[in-house]
Amino acid sequence: MNWKFRQKDKESLSTQPTQPKKKKTKSREWFDAIVFAVIAATVIRVFFIEAYTIPTESMEKSLLVGDFLFVSKVNYGARIPMTPVAFPFAHHTMPVTGTKAYYDGIQWKYRRLPGIQDIKRNDVVVFNFPEGDTVALEVQDRDYYGLVRALGHEAVNTQYTVTSRPVDKRENYIKRCIGISGDVMSMSNGLVSVNGKPEPMKSTGQMDYLVKFKSADVNFQLFEDMGFVIAKQITAVSQDTYNFNATPELMAEVKKLDFVSSVTMHTAAPGAAEPDLFPQNPQLKWNVDNWGPVRIPKKGWTVKLDSLSMPFYKRCIEIYEGNKLEKSGNGWLINGQKADSYTFKMNYYWMMGDNRHNSLDSRYWGFVPEDHVVGKALFIWMSYNTDGSFFSKIRWSRLFKGIH
């Protein structure tokens, strides 16, 4: 009897209707969808691929202002966020308020996932601006250290609001990798040499050329038909001489024209010192077209610390690799210990723009540490200029074009 009662009781319980699940409201569904989309997009952006815009002319003719690129994080290995607490899709500044888009109270050490390749010479690389650790907010397009050299430390810090930024929140730059870790770089009369071997510019590199015509009467429409942008790539020097900014291949075609008297590459004279050039030592008498040799630091390479090496590697040791560096008599102290040499913990790279006379690059601020590397530029997904109607603005021939 007891067994029958328990069985009947169990059956009655099993036949009771189950409580229906509470249905989500429309607002909750939208909230969940937005949260999922933000998380998914952030994961893709951080670990796989990110969009990037070309803001300056430093990479012409490879990349034009108005090109929109996809940058791969997979090729060199995705960098684990070093400043993990940040507002999604904002790099370092909030778009409306202008305030910081990140919290720098939590910082993680530099780590990178395994990549499918190492950085190679001639790769087009996106990286964080090495000298972007300190910024004058009112003039963010100006290099802080260049401002200090021009105006003085006190004047800059009095006139502007100066702040510091973590590595992964520094401005994004895009250049071509000219030299990798361990390479010895130099440049003579506008021609780069890597490990003593001259490396002529490829078809994407641009230099300045002085073109002298046989007559002052020149039909410049011909140059437009060749692909030149008048007033931008061709400017007057005298009545019959003009400065052309173009690739060597294009200038070879100009030289063939019967009304052209001569074509000469326009470079700075050796010995004409530019004080802003890396390592900011006028006694070297280096300029944008004549400099070097410079050895790029490599992980595991040991350099002797002396008056010759320190101008080149002091920032790497102190800022990029986080050591306390002090001068002590005729020698140096690293983290309080006397040292006459230093072994590098990271690889470094030498980056330059293809438009050689219109690029602020490693010639001005030196080496790019590996922890600053963001990714490899893959292809252009959209490109437009500022002239004409909407459809004429789009550079159709550049859409989905690979970057070489």
Side-chain angles (χ1 to χ4, degrees):
M1 186 71 179
N2 289 338
W3 177 83
K4 289 183 178 181
F5 174 78
R6 288 196 296 271
Q7 183 67 17
K8 187 176 180 180
D9 185 55
K10 189 182 292 184
E11 288 175 357
S12 65
L13 288 173
S14 64
T15 56
Q16 289 182 1
T18 58
Q19 291 290 331
K21 290 184 179 179
K22 189 176 180 180
K23 189 176 181 181
K24 290 183 180 180
T25 63
K26 285 290 183 182
S27 58
R28 178 58 186 270
E29 288 180 351
W30 273 105
F31 176 79
D32 289 349
I34 291 170
V35 169
F36 175 79
V38 168
I39 293 174
T42 301
V43 169
I44 292 171
R45 181 172 176 262
V46 170
F47 294 102
F48 295 95
I49 198 165
E50 183 177 2
Y52 182 81
T53 308
I54 297 297
T56 69
E57 301 172 355
S58 69
M59 285 297 291
E60 289 187 349
K61 192 167 190 181
S62 308
L63 300 171
L64 307 179
V65 174
D67 281 351
F68 291 80
L69 320 176
F70 276 133
V71 177
S72 167
K73 306 294 183 71
V74 177
N75 285 63
Y76 306 139
R79 185 177 57 183
I80 304 298
M82 302 162 78
T83 312
V85 182
F87 189 83
F89 312 122
H91 183 43
H92 52 60
T93 305
M94 295 294 287
V96 177
T97 62
T99 55
K100 287 197 305 185
Y102 58 91
Y103 172 63
D104 51 10
I106 300 175
Q107 292 286 300
W108 291 349
K109 291 183 179 180
Y110 163 65
R111 294 180 179 86
R112 189 181 292 274
L113 298 178
I116 60 176
Q117 67 165 101
D118 295 326
I119 297 178
K120 299 177 182 177
R121 298 186 196 95
N122 290 316
D123 280 359
V124 177
V125 180
V126 173
F127 54 93
N128 298 117
F129 179 42
E131 288 197 341
D133 58 319
T134 309
V135 182
L137 293 179
E138 292 82 0
V139 284
Q140 295 189 40
D141 58 333
R142 299 278 304 274
D143 174 15
Y144 168 80
Y145 295 99
L147 280 173
V148 169
R149 288 191 293 271
L151 304 177
H153 183 273
E154 184 177 351
V156 173
N157 283 266
T158 301
Q159 294 179 30
Y160 304 109
T161 306
V162 177
T163 188
S164 60
R165 283 180 180 157
V167 170
D168 56 344
K169 297 303 177 184
R170 296 171 191 174
E171 208 67 58
N172 285 329
Y173 272 41
I174 183 167
K175 306 289 179 186
R176 190 177 297 277
C177 179
I178 302 299
I180 60 175
S181 308
D183 283 347
V184 177
M185 308 296 301
S186 63
M187 193 173 194
S188 178
N189 294 319
L191 180 61
V192 171
S193 291
V194 182
N195 299 323
K197 180 182 177 183
E199 294 287 344
M201 286 192 302
K202 306 297 188 275
S203 58
T204 54
Q206 294 191 156
M207 282 287 288
D208 286 330
Y209 296 82
L210 287 179
V211 178
K212 185 177 177 61
F213 298 119
K214 295 177 181 178
S215 166
D217 185 18
V218 177
N219 180 12
F220 284 93
Q221 180 61 47
L222 174 62
F223 295 113
E224 285 193 3
D225 296 340
M226 293 174 69
F228 286 95
V229 179
I230 306 300
K232 177 183 174 183
Q233 288 183 278
I234 303 177
T235 54
V237 175
S238 65
Q239 189 176 12
D240 60 355
T241 304
Y242 287 77
N243 187 88
F244 281 57
N245 183 244
T247 64
E249 289 76 11
L250 196 52
M251 293 311 301
E253 296 300 314
V254 171
K255 195 172 185 178
K256 294 176 183 178
L257 300 174
D258 57 7
F259 56 86
V260 172
S261 175
S262 64
V263 174
T264 309
M265 186 183 290
H266 187 202
T267 59
E274 292 185 34
D276 280 340
L277 218 66
F278 176 78
Q280 290 81 45
N281 182 1
Q283 295 182 354
L284 292 174
K285 300 187 183 302
W286 289 2
N287 57 52
V288 72
D289 295 312
N290 300 275
W291 47 264
V294 179
R295 181 180 292 277
I296 305 172
K298 183 176 183 179
K299 183 177 181 179
W301 176 55
T302 300
V303 63
K304 182 181 178 181
L305 304 183
D306 55 28
S307 59
L308 296 177
S309 63
M310 288 306 288
F312 294 96
Y313 306 116
K314 182 176 184 292
R315 184 173 176 81
C316 297
I317 298 169
E318 188 174 24
I319 305 299
Y320 303 148
E321 303 206 352
N323 296 286
K324 184 180 179 182
L325 186 64
E326 299 173 280
K327 190 78 171 70
S328 176
N330 295 326
W332 294 88
L333 297 178
I334 297 180
N335 301 322
Q337 301 294 318
K338 188 174 182 179
D340 57 8
S341 65
Y342 180 78
T343 301
F344 290 97
K345 300 179 179 65
M346 286 194 293
N347 289 317
Y348 292 78
Y349 304 92
W350 190 268
M351 306 287 185
M352 289 176 62
D354 285 353
N355 196 353
R356 293 289 166 81
H357 283 175
N358 293 282
S359 174
L360 291 174
D361 49 38
S362 284
R363 291 172 292 181
Y364 291 91
W365 31 257
F367 314 110
V368 176
E370 67 175 61
D371 67 347
H372 284 54
V373 173
V374 175
K376 181 179 182 179
L378 291 183
F379 64 91
I380 300 164
W381 65 271
M382 171 57 76
S383 180
Y384 72 88
N385 55 38
T386 56
D387 302 322
S389 63
F390 175 77
F391 285 103
S392 64
K393 286 181 181 180
I394 298 176
R395 304 183 183 111
W396 297 98
S397 61
R398 296 185 66 78
L399 267 58
F400 301 103
K401 180 181 179 181
I403 299 170
H404 304 289

